[in-house]
Amino acid sequence: MLLITCPHCGPRPELEFTHGGEAHIARPENPAAMNAEDWTEYLYMRANPKGLHAERWRHLHGCARFFNALRDTTTDQFVATYATGQPRPDLKGAGQ
Amino acid sequence: MSKTLRTPAGGSVNRVKTIKFSFDGKTYQGLEGDTLASALLANGIRVMGRSFKYHRARGVLGAGSEEPNALVAVRRDKARIAPNLRATQVELYDGLVAESQNRWPSLNFDVGAVLSLLSPFIPAGFYYKTFMWPKSAWDKLYEPNIRAAAGLGHAPTEADPDSYLNRFAHCEVLIIGAGPAGLAAALAASEGGERVILVDEQCELGGSLLSATDAVIDGQSGRAWRDAVVAKLAANPKVTLMTRANAFGYFAHNMIGVAERLSEHQASPAKGAPRERLWQIRAREVVLATGAIERPLVFPDNDRPGIILADSARTYLNRYGVLPGKRVVVATGHDEAYRAALDLHKAGVTIAAIADARPNPKGPLVEAARAAGLPIKTGYAITGTKGTLGVAEARLSPILGAGRVGPPEIVACDSVLMSGGFTPSVHLFSQSRGKVVWDETLETYLPGASAEAERSAGACRGQFGLAKALADGFAAGSDAARLTVKRDFVVQATEGDPKGVVGALPHDRGNGAKAFIDWQNDVTTKDLKLAVREGFQSIEHIKRYTTTGMATDQGKTSNLNALGVISDALDRPIPQIGLTTFRMPYTPVTFGVLAGMARGDLFDPVRTTPIHDWAVEQGAVFEDVSLWKRARFFPQGREDMEAAVRRECLAVRSHCGIFDASTLGKIEVVGPDAAEFMNRFYINAWTKLGVGKCRYGIVCREDGFVTDDGVVGRMSQDRFHVTTTTGGAPRVLAMMEDYLQTEWPDLDVWLTSTTEQFAVIALQGPKARDILSGLVEGIDLSPEALAHMSLVEGKICGVPTRLFRVSFTGELGFEINVPSQHGRKVWEAIWAAGQPHGLVPYGTETMHVLRAEKGFIIVGQETDGTATPDDVGLTWAVGKAKPDYVGKRSLARPAMAAPDRKQLVGLLTKDPHIVLEEGAQVVLTPGQKAPMALVGHVTSSYHSAVLGRSIALAMVSGGRARIGETVYIPMPGSDIAVDVTSPVFYDPEGVRVNG
């Protein structure tokens, strides 16, 4: 069971969290104006990196807030968690 | 052989406390402190199990959790049978009943052993090669027979009556293994005052110190030092000591799973005493002090009962006071076997020969054996054994080199001790995703770089010998606790060369000889060589093809020797072959300890409504809907479901029914931007919905498919009372929170689940208004004041209510929301008021029929995650003027408007008595052969009492254009002809909601 640091509550067991998929995918301002390719890109295309992955978690059984995390998909180690709306931290080489 | 092999003195067993136990129906005596294995050995019992594949008679090989042979079932009663326990770990108690496994009719005479004679015909991959054809025979013939013949133990046939516990624990330093390294680590780690947990699989802490004889640490005997250290640790309130605790799994982020045996070892556990406890320990730092496991030698006939690992023999002697035999041959490739020979020699055992495969062994242990006059043959391999159900002689041959041996000598003996050296236990390290690295000097795999905050210490990382283990353990404990404590242990112990032999010994016994690598799965050197000859190269493939290392012992004694043999066969060095991943559990754990409290009523949470007990009292039959218990129907007298539902349906249509709708999901959407939020989230338009009005709302996902529905009432300008499906409430709330928190943080809206706060009583039928009228205060129920799809706040039976006029039946209907604590009182008041009006309670089954008669969908029944609002006939609900809502862009895709999409329609069978099967397929023409051209499927199907015939809803390709056509439902034997109709079967004009 992962140990996840909620940026609002601190380290808590994975049991308290739900996973929310890839982070930093903002819903377009005006979906109606988008062509099919761009909409498909937004709706379906997701990264599947080997290494650092920015993903959303929700501390459902805690503060109930969504936040973002950088997790190394090869080791499951979290190198950062940060509030929704914050940019992805620049951590070149981190988690290696 | 003499009946008793118990020494007159020595060991830590309690000599004055004898214990009676039975094995395969025969009664024996052991001593307090014995394991089942040591007590059986003391009684001269050699054969303790039969092997998995060939049913060969097997004796005990080891003395701990590595034991592959002596697997037994321990039985307390019919429901308490624990199979596949290692006799070496079963602590003896008075009245213990143990049975051997994998034999019939008896252990010493096993019919299945004939398989051993057939073994030339059962090579590696035998099952894959033989039972290929015909395919149809697999299910009925091959698999059942293979399973019956090859089964390993039997599960009890009754439910487990015992209880199991589950606890979480946190500590700064967790130390796994309480041998010298683990104890030293605990000593160091505990000096900083942080929380330390020390776990060990044995019933006592101490590891190898429990069977050490001559070691002296800081002027004390090993045992006395161990006692003092354990006492010191036990007195420290920050230190937790756990025995009988199997650290079976290393999970992510330093979470260790530990199965602790609590009452398994007691003669009569207190009534209700838990049997085991699962610990989930989260540690900042972990110290693995898991030691090393002695390797068997690989030589022909090496599985005969009486052949045991040398260090295990020392354990039996020094800890349990049991001799492996009276005349012993020691076969070795490692110095430690000399220590065993010396200890046995001192205990009066005749050492008939020491056959050392090494040409020129030296060092203090070898010299001590020489000084004691033990007959040492260097450069000798053991090349065979003989004996019936035990060993009677050993065959020793001089090694000539290049795989050849000279003429053998036959040495009579009643036991053979063997040692190929020690393999570090890197199982938990490997589970933690750490990568092992090959050590050229020790010829073994050792822990490499860590993947978690852990470090290995002592023998498990190749630091062999007492002095090294203590020093390494102490340093690891200090490091883990982030301390810089130092301590020098003064150790007097004779240490040998840590290097041993890997792989098979040479022999001249030809192809028929069986030299076992993996005792538990009956894998021999021949099997591995055959796999290589057949082209297998990868260790992962060879493992699966031959099953080496795949048994319940996880290859504890076999893995390295298997690599050695494969290395020879492939002519490639071991590090180029690699090592298979170690799987959890380290030692098997019971299902009980994993299930813990999550069984029976506690398997899953059960949600009940405030009206639940009333329904129970009325004899309702319940069904599970997500976690809820819902009343399905209320049988009267001897009614079955069909009769009850028919009666309930007619009563609602003719008089009135009362229905518990409390399980409906409810979410309060509040705030200045509540209407804007609703506009963005639902497909419907909300801005113009007046206060006191309701609307049927539909939620799509961003991909445009319907995910939930429910009536929404506007309580005030800034407050919506949202309802969802029973099962969908958490999902909808989570989806709302997701959009609110991450996409629209600018909106000032609060979301609160109120599902549990309101009891919801649905009152449906022409008499509903008459029944309610005497119960409400300050509420005008007249059609003018409270029209269909409107709501009012007021009081009912003296408690506040949100009273909705809505209908999921097509009849005049109300849904009365009251605070949960008043739910039953209000329900009973309505029930009493309804008696003169013929009010009946109805359940979910009737609810389903009534809504289907009206063509109302159930999300998840008519829809399956690929239906758009238009597919299910809800285009009217879409707020078309809205610039955007969740799902809008996807619904604009051309494919979403394709005319051949599956659309909701009604189906009426030509024969009104036939009720279709839900899930049945729809085809356009009868008499088709598979594969048929399927155009849809039946989603709901019932007998409609009010219509006097069957009805069905279906999703059919281009369905709305097919209304009026005849289509077919192919069923075994015939095609059922049905007419495609509108999905609204009853009261299509919708006049009945007006009462």
Side-chain angles (χ1 to χ4, degrees), chain A residues 1 3 27 56 66 76, chain B residues 253 282 702 738 741 884:
Chain A
M1 182 164 39
L3 185 66
R27 191 172 187 273
R56 310 183 323 141
F66 281 86
D76 267 345
Chain B
H253 297 179
R282 180 84 69 180
E702 201 69 88
D738 193 345
Q741 290 185 32
D884 188 23

Side-chain angles (χ1 to χ4, degrees), chain B residues 561-837:
Chain B
N561 280 333
L563 288 173
V565 171
I566 295 163
S567 161
D568 280 350
L570 284 171
D571 197 20
R572 257 193 270 151
I574 289 179
Q576 283 184 27
I577 295 170
L579 184 62
T580 54
T581 309
F582 291 93
R583 312 282 174 194
M584 57 189 84
Y586 175 68
T587 308
V589 293
T590 61
F591 285 119
V593 76
L594 296 179
M597 305 291 278
R599 51 187 289 199
D601 288 345
L602 299 179
F603 176 67
D604 228 7
V606 172
R607 301 177 80 180
T608 57
T609 74
I611 292 115
H612 181 82
D613 291 346
W614 187 89
V616 171
E617 290 158 22
Q618 296 290 316
V621 175
F622 289 84
E623 68 171 334
D624 293 335
V625 180
S626 62
L627 297 176
W628 291 99
K629 294 286 176 198
R630 298 198 75 179
R632 193 172 186 196
F633 58 98
F634 290 82
Q636 300 281 302
R638 305 174 66 158
E639 279 180 336
D640 60 8
M641 185 171 88
E642 198 184 319
V645 169
R646 187 172 308 208
R647 175 182 50 73
E648 290 171 13
C649 282
L650 290 174
V652 174
R653 295 275 183 233
S654 63
H655 297 80
C656 195
I658 186 167
F659 175 71
D660 181 5
S662 304
T663 64
L664 275 184
K666 293 171 281 288
I667 300 166
E668 199 88 337
V669 178
V670 187
D673 298 320
E676 174 62 17
F677 173 77
M678 293 296 290
N679 274 336
R680 295 186 192 180
F681 191 77
Y682 277 77
I683 70 168
N684 317 68
W686 301 96
T687 313
K688 289 182 183 160
L689 182 71
V691 172
K693 295 293 175 195
C694 317
R695 183 164 285 170
Y696 170 62
I698 296 149
V699 187
C700 285
R701 300 187 309 241
E702 201 69 88
D703 61 12
F705 298 123
V706 174
T707 187
D708 206 78
D709 68 349
V711 168
V712 176
R714 189 161 201 174
M715 310 306 300
S716 62
Q717 275 302 321
D718 62 354
R719 181 178 295 265
F720 289 84
H721 177 115
V722 170
T723 69
T724 71
T725 58
T726 292
R731 190 182 65 241
V732 172
L733 181 59
M735 186 175 157
M736 285 181 169
E737 283 285 355
D738 193 345
Y739 278 91
L740 189 59
Q741 290 185 32
T742 69
E743 300 293 355
W744 309 320
D746 52 308
L747 295 185
D748 195 357
V749 175
W750 291 90
L751 305 169
T752 309
S753 166
T754 53
T755 303
E756 299 271 1
Q757 277 61 44
F758 287 109
V760 185
I761 303 162
L763 196 62
Q764 302 277 312
K767 308 281 189 192
R769 187 180 285 117
D770 301 339
I771 294 169
L772 271 190
S773 58
L775 300 173
V776 295
E777 303 160 44
I779 293 175
D780 184 351
L781 291 175
S782 69
E784 299 74 31
L786 191 62
H788 182 52
M789 294 307 273
S790 54
L791 68 94
V792 62
E793 286 185 275
K795 280 194 166 180
I796 183 167
C797 306
V799 306
T801 181
R802 291 179 177 180
L803 198 151
F804 286 61
R805 190 176 153 199
V806 289
S807 174
F808 198 42
T809 60
E811 302 297 328
L812 168 67
F814 300 91
E815 287 185 2
I816 301 121
N817 291 262
V818 292
S820 290
Q821 66 269 32
H822 303 302
R824 177 152 181 182
K825 179 179 104 178
V826 174
W827 174 282
E828 287 187 355
I830 296 172
W831 174 244
Q835 289 312 297
H837 300 281

Side-chain angles (χ1 to χ4, degrees), chain A residues 7-91:
Chain A
H8 312 291
C9 305
R12 297 287 190 277
E14 188 185 344
L15 279 177
E16 296 183 11
F17 297 84
T18 51
H19 189 258
E22 189 179 349
H24 304 299
I25 296 180
R27 191 172 187 273
E29 284 291 313
N30 187 3
M34 294 175 77
N35 64 34
E37 287 70 29
D38 291 346
W39 182 247
T40 302
E41 183 68 27
Y42 157 72
L43 193 57
Y44 294 115
M45 297 306 173
R46 295 294 180 267
N48 185 20
K50 181 179 180 181
L52 285 187
H53 185 229
E55 59 193 12
R56 310 183 323 141
W57 287 84
R58 185 179 178 210
H59 193 191
L60 180 63
H61 302 293
C63 65
R65 292 168 78 173
F66 281 86
F67 60 90
N68 295 330
L70 276 182
R71 180 175 60 93
D72 190 322
T73 58
T74 60
T75 64
D76 267 345
Q77 298 298 325
F78 287 91
V79 300
T81 54
Y82 50 103
T84 294
Q86 300 294 310
R88 174 179 171 143
D90 184 19
L91 289 168

Side-chain angles (χ1 to χ4, degrees), chain B residues 507-558:
Chain B
H507 66 81
D508 54 355
R509 296 281 305 285
N511 274 337
K514 276 201 184 66
F516 283 88
I517 302 265
D518 182 329
W519 269 246
Q520 201 174 100
N521 267 357
D522 270 348
V523 182
T524 65
T525 50
K526 272 195 328 184
D527 295 319
L528 297 179
K529 288 177 185 166
L530 178 66
V532 169
R533 275 207 310 280
E534 291 183 356
F536 289 93
Q537 305 251 328
S538 153
I539 182 64
E540 294 285 356
H541 293 154
I542 294 171
K543 168 182 166 178
R544 281 156 185 80
Y545 191 58
T546 63
T547 74
T548 191
M550 286 177 71
T552 62
D553 62 358
Q554 282 283 290
K556 288 187 179 69
T557 53
S558 62

